[in-house]
Amino acid sequence: GAGVSQSPSNKVTEKGKDVELRCDPISGHTALYWYRQRLGQGLEFLIYFQGNSAPDKSGLPSDRFSAERTGESVSTLTIQRTQQEDSAVYLCASSRGGQGVYAEAFFGQGTRLTVV
Amino acid sequence: AQSVTQPDIHITVSEGASLELRCNYSYGATPYLFWYVQSPGQGLQLLLKYFSGDTLVQGIKGFEAEFKRSQSSFNLRKPSVHWSDAAEYFCAVGIRSNDYKLSFGAGTTVTVRA
């Protein structure tokens, strides 16, 4: 597509339920990132996928968080047994990859997750 | 680890007035510096970046930023704001050229009044 697409745009879930967030990157972009933005805070890096390389999961806050990516396309971020502190905007970005900071990252609009 | 501080949470500016958003970073060497803007309902968009060379960089939408090593700052400026500049602005830092992970500030929300 023309840009990075994320769904749903908003998600309200009950504490303890699992949620799945989806990201469709720009076609041809081999790199895909997930970030989290809590209210009043900067974006936190969660996970990075680049081509067929093993993902960098160093930013995932707990084992309740996981992410998958099929080839160089769609990615899903799954949060199991959600907690109230998981409430945040989850942002996905993609880039051409393999170029570090020289590859501009294009961001989706984000998924606003509210855990009640 | 590097950190990024945006001291102003919210700024209100009149249309046509100048705008300056502050960004300070904590890192020993010269980082790679970015400013992103997030308009309502939109994803983050890259405004400009600094890697090396001329410390005054020009970006899109009439924005510019100046890297000041002595102050560890990378402030964003625009001489005359338009109502469409109302948005949230994020400063970000990368510490290595091959590093894909950026550290972001908490953002500054800009309100433009008529």
Side-chain angles (χ1 to χ4, degrees):
Chain A
V4 177
S5 177
Q6 291 187 246
S7 60
S9 54
N10 280 284
K11 175 72 175 179
V12 180
T13 190
E14 293 181 353
K15 179 181 173 181
K17 294 287 181 67
D18 297 352
V19 295
E20 191 171 277
L21 313 180
R22 177 187 170 104
C23 173
D24 279 284
I26 293 172
S27 178
H29 280 188
T30 59
L32 187 147
Y33 316 69
W34 284 97
Y35 283 86
R36 177 173 72 175
Q37 184 184 16
R38 289 169 159 166
L39 188 64
Q41 300 183 24
L43 279 69
E44 304 170 68
F45 168 79
L46 296 177
I47 189 168
Y48 170 79
F49 296 90
Q50 165 54 26
N52 295 319
S53 301
D56 177 354
K57 304 179 181 180
S58 61
L60 295 178
S62 77
D63 59 8
R64 296 186 296 104
F65 287 71
S66 63
E68 293 183 350
R69 187 181 187 192
T70 307
E72 295 183 354
S73 61
V74 172
S75 175
T76 55
L77 176 69
T78 301
I79 308 173
Q80 297 178 309
R81 305 181 302 281
T82 53
Q83 304 294 312
Q84 288 186 328
E85 63 262 27
D86 299 334
S87 296
V89 176
Y90 290 83
L91 292 163
C92 176
S94 71
S95 72
R96 295 192 183 279
Q99 302 172 40
V101 294
Y102 296 106
E104 179 179 344
F106 293 82
F107 284 80
Q109 297 180 30
T111 294
R112 182 177 299 277
L113 176 66
T114 304
V115 182
V116 298
Chain B
Q2 73 277 20
S3 65
V4 183
T5 302
Q6 293 182 246
D8 304 304
I9 297 173
H10 189 200
I11 287 180
T12 299
V13 61
S14 297
E15 191 168 16
S18 63
L19 174 68
E20 181 168 14
L21 304 182
R22 296 183 289 165
C23 173
N24 294 95
Y25 64 89
S26 171
Y27 179 58
T30 300
Y32 299 87
L33 298 161
F34 305 79
W35 274 100
Y36 282 85
V37 61
Q38 186 173 31
S39 299
Q42 305 292 318
L44 273 75
Q45 179 183 21
L46 181 65
L47 279 177
L48 48 78
K49 59 192 176 187
Y50 173 78
F51 289 167
S52 64
D54 192 346
T55 56
L56 183 64
V57 294
Q58 303 297 320
I60 62 171
K61 304 186 180 187
F63 284 91
E64 67 178 26
E66 186 172 14
F67 169 59
K68 292 187 177 180
R69 184 191 307 274
S70 61
Q71 298 178 20
S72 297
S73 69
F74 188 56
N75 293 350
L76 181 72
R77 299 192 294 255
K78 185 169 184 177
S80 177
V81 300
H82 186 262
W83 64 265
S84 60
D85 294 322
E88 189 162 18
Y89 293 80
F90 295 91
C91 181
V93 166
I95 62 172
R96 287 180 295 274
S97 63
N98 64 349
D99 195 355
Y100 42 78
K101 290 183 285 188
L102 301 182
S103 294
F104 283 81
T108 298
T109 299
V110 173
T111 298
V112 180
R113 60 182 175 220

